[in-house]
């Protein structure tokens, strides 16, 4: 098991988890999101190939109303 | 730059009004206001997805992105670094290089930190962003933003959401004199239609607003008002107004009175 | 009186912009400006026919009187008596009882003589005229004009042809509070589009102007600007503007920042 | 002959002249004018029946551009 | 009329500030404020003696009438007749022919009824009064007041007690141009020191105020402020201000930079 | 900071008016104006001695330096480096650590380059200078200047020498709210006495001006006006003005009318 | 006895009362007042000689604070 | 001889010239001036001991009217 932080919340995942599997777990559609891993944006096409590691800090963001 | 459409970074927009997506009572009201505004660009904020209380509805379901360009902002960022991170996320989410760059320097007024703004602009331009910086009405800062590669200058007219209108017409006029090769977009402070018209009459290229529409009694009606006001101000600027004079000048001829 | 058309003496007009026919470079330019303005009422002056140098062309050849109502004025009259005589002639020439009643009290400013205006209003109302008096922004005078039977109150915003805009928003607001049963039409002083919008945002019912359009660099473009500005100001008034506040109010949410 | 004043100018007419004949003489179309005789407006329909008298002061006006 | 003292009806006053006697928290505070103001004329109202609850104290015990001229007003009168009666009583009580003539035309704004004011002015001038009429900023009315024999013109800057300052500088300037042979005394509307200075800079001869001092946090300090502001404005008017320009003009020489 | 004298870097000054020494028609006129102003601090520029056409007269012969503190400026400097060099020379010439720090960012408006100003402020504070920076009305910049060790904040009201007055009262008010531990001295833009009073009424601690006095028709009279205006504005600020209201509030009692 | 109105209040006085006696009765000093009788101002010097009549309307006024 | 620049003007001085001698030559009083040598301010007390060298750039400044 690995421990990662997603949007500031602690989250325990199985080893081998990828960004894709994390998003699936969270039931989030990749199409309208952006993801940062340890302060670097991960391109959408790399989600499947991005293996998560213990201690990773993940930010999952979307557009909301703003001015 | 009279005549023709608004051009930002080589792309033409039919409308000179840019509106926000925040603070509407509902998505339905927002959509109606967008429609009435005729805007072809709307600002959006970048925020963490709420992992616990996910509603089924998404902002993007309510924006016709075929007709409307998204302009992600960096609202709420207080340092160049935060703003740059947020801009990158916004680009990834929106698949577009446009960013409304905000680096806030004061919580009460939401005035920009122009020094940090300049740093962030330089960094983001290098990364290929089309940077639209929210700044003060200081023309010296504006020239540096231009030299840093900004695609437009977006001075505030008054504090965000204050509705106080353009508080310093002298500074805005001087800014327009100084910056002739980039669009000037008044961003923040507009309260009602005449404020938008005034900005355009000063020769600004566009107006960006959120609260004045979203917070109006009838947002769609106010959006229609703003659309007409921006068009009116632009037309008046292009038409060339009469000079101001202290004394009267009769409209009817002095000759031929009975 | 929000919503619906402008109603003067029981007749509805689709446009809240009334324009003049003086000072245009040519009749062609005037006709184009009238078209662009969307106005349904235009002012005309009454003057002696020039018996010696009669041109073939007449003003009326250039006004589509099926669509546009003529509003004869008494411009240039300096006493109640002159104004009454001119009004009567205007009625005979135009076959309509409308009159824009002016009694000028000062040559430099063309400010009205409100005392004589009141006398002339009383006399003309008795003769069946629909009197639209050009007056100051004094609400005490306005109430007397109403009591005398005027069909609207037409306060000046600034000296005729000065382009100074509405110089006393406090007085105009107080006037609107005091006169709720008659249309208020700002007559004189408008310089550019935002001035017209401001008048409408104050709750006035219409705006009348001549020089701001006829004297603009491009009269037809300015007429289009004024049309949109009047509509914008009216819509904004009806929509209900946001309150003014000194401090900022963020448009993007404070929660969910990365 | 009678002497009248038209728009401030002296004018000598034959006896029996009417407002109609005056306007015809001046080549003015009645349709778009208004006429005052001695400070009283003369209705359009009365032009033919209005016999002018010596000393009459006539004003013939029309609409011109104004604000 | 630059230079020298304020002259009203042939009598010179060393101070260009006229103050009121109403609304003070106490007579002591009033006296201190009068002292600090340097005023040589104060307004007083004429009211029925209260036959039942007579306090021992009288207003006049607290005014140094050797140094200070009383200016009875007709405040609260709504017709020429009432104002004339009140003026006569004031003359009998004060043994002086000065009167600040007010004929109120509206309760909410306390704006004058200028038509009735004119009638009352004519009547009182005939009876030998020195009439100082409280009027609007309408120069046509002002000329009639002058022709009726008024000893000064006292236009309001804004509603009495509103503290809104001079709301229409254009009208005040035009009034000063039109009335050169009588003192112009701005009466009503002043809120703070700069308002008084502005009035004087426009070339007015004096300022009259009550609430701005009596209602201030520290009336004596505000009275001192007003005294200095009136003097400052007068001096600036006489000195001749620099012209306004859009661009900068350096104060330090461009030559000799290292 | 109401009450008491102006304190800059621990030293108290009896006058809140700081004046310049440039642009006077003669040294005699300057001396008279200084006298009338009551100023205890005057700005001076640092310039190369003209080796060829040396007049016998020196500026310092005409300033009573026992009573008046010299404030050397860095006017005309366009980079932090030039400003720092000039400040050092000024200190050596005047034997005092005070400096009015200007780094000009634009020739037409003489607006400051706030980024360079900040750098120069940091450098000069380290060298022991008492830095009084000429800056914009941007409170974010002001906070940084404070954090850099500036001894006061000197925002411009309008372009130097323009006489346009305080163009953005909102920004000045927000600046005063944000900066409570340093004096705020409005520097530049004042045109006439009321402008200076307005600055003080906003709670500013002092006003600095040159052209408004030196360029007036009668500089000594204008200096006296400015002295009174600054005192008036300060007193009014401390006294506490009445609130603004739209409607009237009678000064004379409603009871007891005949 | 006569009935007069003083400042809007009914007041019964003995016959022969004058303005002077009325003011004395009311304990008012003439020096700082002004008096109207039936809408006409009575000069201060005439108070003693002014005999009041039944139905007279008297106004007694003084200066109060005003603006 | 050495060549120096004083306030932007070329100036030839004898070897051994000091700041003091330069100011004397220019008939300038030290009391109210400030002097920079090669972009560094020279304290007033060091004028006598400051030997000028070929190529030196000297700035001599004073206060003038400014705002």
């Amino acid at each position: 098991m690995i421990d990662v932080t997603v949007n500031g919340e602690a989250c325990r995942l199985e080893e081998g988890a990828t960004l894709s599997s994390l998003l699936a777990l969270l039931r989030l559609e990749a199409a309208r999101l952006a993801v940062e891993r340890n302060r670097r944006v991960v391109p959408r096409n790399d989600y499947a190939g991005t293996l998560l590691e213990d201690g990773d800090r993940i930010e999952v963001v979307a557009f909301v109303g703003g001015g | 730059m009279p005549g023709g459409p608004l051009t930002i970074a080589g792309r033409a927009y039919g409308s000179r009004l840019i509106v926000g997506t925040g603070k509407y009572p509902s998505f339905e009201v927002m959509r109606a206001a967008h429609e009435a505004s005729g805007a072809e660009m709307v600002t959006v904020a970048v925020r963490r997805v709420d992992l616990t209380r996910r509603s089924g509805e998404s902002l993007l379901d309510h924006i016709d992105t075929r007709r409307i360009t998204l302009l992600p902002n960096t609202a709420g960022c207080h340092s160049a670094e935060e703003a740059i991170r947020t801009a990158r996320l916004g680009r990834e989410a929106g698949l577009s290089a446009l960013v409304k760059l905000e680096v806030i320097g004061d919580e009460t007024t939401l005035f920009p930190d122009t020094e940090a703004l300049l740093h962030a602009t330089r960094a983001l331009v290098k990364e290929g962003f089309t940077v639209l910086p929210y700044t003060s009405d200081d023309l010296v800062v504006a020239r540096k933003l231009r030299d840093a590669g900004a695609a437009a200058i977006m001075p505030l007219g008054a504090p965000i959401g204050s509705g106080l209108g353009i508080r310093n017409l002298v500074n805005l006029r001087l800014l327009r004199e100084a910056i002739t090769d980039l669009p000037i977009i008044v961003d923040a402070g507009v309260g009602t239609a005449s404020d938008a018209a005034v900005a355009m009459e000063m020769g600004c290229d566009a107006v960006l607003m959120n609260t004045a529409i979203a917070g109006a009694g009838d947002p769609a009606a106010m959006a229609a008002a703003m659309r007409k006001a921006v068009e009116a101000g632009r037309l008046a600027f292009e038409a060339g107004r009469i000079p101001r004079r202290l004394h009267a000048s009769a409209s009817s001829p002095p000759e031929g009175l009975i």
Side-chain angles (χ1 to χ4, degrees), chain B residues 8-9 13 41 69-72 96-100 129-132:
Chain B
I8 299 174
Y13 297 86
M41 187 183 283
T69 300
L70 298 181
L71 175 60
S96 140
L98 279 170
V99 62
K100 175 183 164 186
F129 279 88
T130 296
V131 179
L132 310 183

Side-chain angles (χ1 to χ4, degrees), chain A residues 8-53:
Chain A
E9 309 280 331
C11 190
R12 175 158 295 185
L13 301 174
E14 297 193 26
E15 304 237 359
T18 63
L19 260 185
S20 285
S21 63
L22 172 63
L23 294 178
L25 192 73
L26 296 169
R27 268 172 287 179
L28 293 169
E29 277 182 69
R32 294 170 151 194
L33 303 174
V35 178
E36 224 189 30
R37 181 181 172 223
N38 301 328
R39 314 198 121 215
R40 304 192 81 94
V41 173
V42 182
R44 204 163 292 184
N45 293 332
D46 297 355
Y47 291 172
T50 300
L51 212 61
L52 297 181
E53 297 177 20

Side-chain angles (χ1 to χ4, degrees), chain B residues 58-137:
Chain B
S58 152
L59 174 67
L60 295 187
D61 295 333
H62 300 277
I63 300 173
D64 179 357
T65 50
R66 288 161 308 178
R67 197 177 58 77
I68 294 178
T69 300
L70 298 181
L71 175 60
N73 70 26
T74 64
C77 296
H78 288 70
S79 68
E81 196 208 348
E82 282 174 54
I84 291 167
R85 277 177 68 200
T86 302
R88 288 172 183 155
L89 285 166
R91 173 159 65 174
E92 182 62 19
L95 304 174
S96 140
L98 279 170
V99 62
K100 175 183 164 186
L101 186 62
E102 298 187 35
V103 186
I104 299 303
D106 176 66
E107 265 319 281
T108 305
T109 59
L110 299 178
F111 281 167
D113 177 336
T114 55
E115 201 182 18
L117 180 68
L118 210 45
H119 293 314
T121 299
R122 287 191 191 106
L124 290 170
V125 167
K126 272 193 200 118
E127 297 185 19
F129 279 88
T130 296
V131 179
L132 310 183
Y134 157 73
T135 183
S136 72
D137 59 9

